Amino acid sequence: MTTARRTLRRAPRRRDRRGRGLRGLLYPASTPASRTRAERFDALVLEALEPIELRWGSELAELDLAVDEVPEVTETSPDRVVWDTGVLADTGVPLAQLVPAGVDPQGMPSRARIVLYRRPIEARAKGAAELADLLHEVLVEQVADYLNIEPDAVDGGS
């Protein structure tokens, strides 16, 4: 006899219903195939920045580099989106932003930084080679803006 207080309880359902156990990784962690899209993008960013750093390393010592998924929209109007200063945009979509040194909202000093937006940049590239070229172009533009010089001078005419 069961009463309102006494009920039969079932065992909780488990994900491992057929006894196969936990499955391992598809690729070993040491192989490039196991990296996420964000990790591959970060590696391409560092690769694209390397020739610029070799040439302008001392001038870029106070500059940080960051990668965000998408740009943050802070203010919009019905006709168009309004971006902050220092934004490098392609057809109205920002690819990167140069944030000058200053004071953060907590009152702490902050360093200048270039913020690359991964998703918009990836959406404009059709392959890995085109993505690497686009990253290099965006970084050259942003470093030139930071150093207040022409992009051709940053790139060394190449």
Side-chain angles (χ1 to χ4, degrees), residues 32-112:
S34 69
R35 294 190 296 178
T36 64
R37 287 176 65 180
E39 290 170 337
R40 288 191 299 264
F41 185 84
D42 291 345
L44 280 173
V45 168
L46 294 175
E47 187 177 309
L49 184 64
E50 187 176 356
I52 299 170
E53 270 190 333
L54 287 175
R55 184 166 183 183
W56 298 95
S58 60
E59 289 85 352
L60 302 178
E62 297 298 316
L63 180 68
D64 291 335
L65 185 63
V67 174
D68 279 349
E69 290 289 312
V70 293
E72 182 177 319
V73 178
T74 56
E75 180 181 337
T76 61
S77 71
D79 299 327
R80 63 180 174 65
V81 177
V82 180
W83 299 110
D84 293 333
T85 59
V87 172
L88 174 66
D90 177 36
T91 62
V93 178
L95 303 179
Q97 179 177 9
L98 175 63
V99 180
V103 179
D104 67 7
Q106 289 79 26
M108 301 295 292
S110 65
R111 293 168 37 129

Side-chain angles (χ1 to χ4, degrees), residues 1-12:
M1 167 163 53
T2 60
T3 63
R5 290 185 181 181
R6 185 173 165 220
T7 59
L8 298 174
R9 294 188 182 205
R10 286 185 173 177

